[in-house]
Amino acid sequence: MTESRDICFRTRDLTKVYQTGETEVFALRGVSIDIYDQEMMVLLGPSGSGKSTLLNILGGLDHASSGEVWFHGDVLTASDDTTLTQFRRDHVGFIFQFYNLIPSLTARENVALVTEIARDPMSAEEALALVGLEDRMDHFPSQLSGGQQQRVAVARAVAKRPGVLLCDEPTGALDSSTGVQVLEALEQVNKELGTTTIVITHNAGISDMSDRVVYLADGQVSHIEEHATRKPAKELSW
Ligand SMILES: Nc1ncnc2c1ncn2[C@@H]1O[C@H](COP(=O)(O)OP(=O)(O)OP(=O)(O)O)[C@@H](O)[C@H]1O
Ligand SMILES: [Mg+2]
């Protein structure tokens, strides 16, 4: 389990309603959870259960309809867009299913784009070494495998030393063995930097590498499972 049980995010009665024309979709129906500093959390649940919606609200990419989110004691749900943008910039790294690297830039340059504008970044070289790509720094995305490209995206997300890493199906586009390399990179970042990490996945097998699994169903937390020990990412398959 995590060494520290300080709370990173706290949500209370969080709801999200999407209004499209006459139709209201209740994406979140009262989510109240605590997410601990430095933990590795997996978010599981059927398609449409609200996983991405929850992650996007935590990361300040979207607004809740009602309820509260605190980040280390600050109320995010009361923040305006400028404050949320600053929050994201300072504290959050995102990883999505597709890597969105710039094709004309090398791995090093893709990461450097971020380190140039961050306050206390690690070097692009250091970030790439953290994800095991020290010997691929000068490769272009087209010269890298899908798993390697996603590890560049991980390096890019963590180079600014965010307290939080939010990953929405980071292995969704990858087969099991390349996906494992990405998960090993996330594991490494979580261990080395103590980054609070939330991973959305459809693969229940991935949850074994986490401290806790939060199950969402129909916009609510159905149950939470705690793991006394984490399975090393390299032993996972699906
Ligand atoms: N921008 C939007 N406008 C309208 N409805 C939306 C919007 N985004 C999400 N929804 C709806 O909210 C619900 C939750 O969506 P969400 O994307 O959070 O699910 P998810 O658990 O991430 O699903 P998946 O596993 O398919 O990615 C779904 O019913 C979805 O259709
Ligand atoms: Mg989703």
Side-chain angles (χ1 to χ4, degrees), residues 19-34:
Q19 182 98 37
T20 8
E22 298 287 281
T23 332
E24 285 187 329
V25 175
F26 290 80
L28 297 178
R29 303 170 184 262
V31 171
S32 301
I33 47 170
D34 293 341

Side-chain angles (χ1 to χ4, degrees), residues 14-16 25-31 44-51 215-222:
L14 203 61
T15 73
K16 179 69 179 180
V25 175
F26 290 80
L28 297 178
R29 303 170 184 262
V31 171
L44 274 182
S47 182
S49 58
K51 303 182 297 295
Y215 292 85
L216 274 191
D218 202 17
Q220 291 182 314
V221 175
S222 61

Side-chain angles (χ1 to χ4, degrees), residues 12-162:
R12 288 296 177 268
D13 287 326
L14 203 61
T15 73
K16 179 69 179 180
V17 186
Y18 289 107
Q19 182 98 37
T20 8
E22 298 287 281
T23 332
E24 285 187 329
V25 175
F26 290 80
L28 297 178
R29 303 170 184 262
V31 171
S32 301
I33 47 170
D34 293 341
I35 296 164
Y36 300 107
D37 269 335
Q38 308 198 356
E39 83 170 311
M40 169 79 75
M41 203 190 91
V42 160
L43 201 49
L44 274 182
S47 182
S49 58
K51 303 182 297 295
S52 297
T53 303
L54 177 59
L55 204 76
N56 291 343
I57 293 173
L58 292 177
L61 287 174
D62 201 356
H63 292 280
S65 301
S66 68
E68 275 98 44
V69 179
W70 288 265
F71 173 73
H72 289 151
D74 292 330
V75 192
L76 284 186
T77 25
S79 303
D80 59 20
D81 283 342
T82 315
T83 312
L84 277 189
T85 302
Q86 196 62 45
F87 158 71
R88 285 201 307 273
R89 222 176 258 165
D90 291 345
H91 300 293
V92 189
F94 291 97
I95 312 280
F96 298 103
Q97 182 169 354
F98 300 103
Y99 336 121
N100 295 316
L101 301 177
I102 297 177
S104 59
L105 299 180
T106 63
R108 189 200 307 264
E109 290 164 345
N110 265 284
V111 177
L113 276 185
V114 172
T115 59
E116 278 162 15
I117 56 167
R119 264 197 293 186
D120 174 33
M122 58 182 90
S123 65
E125 290 76 12
E126 199 184 333
L128 285 161
L130 190 62
V131 300
L133 287 177
E134 49 278 273
D135 56 350
R136 292 285 193 282
M137 308 233 194
D138 296 310
H139 286 57
F140 291 94
S142 63
Q143 300 170 319
L144 297 169
S145 71
Q148 289 167 339
Q149 289 182 62
Q150 186 64 302
R151 279 146 69 198
V152 175
V154 174
R156 180 181 57 183
V158 302
K160 64 178 180 183
R161 305 179 197 276

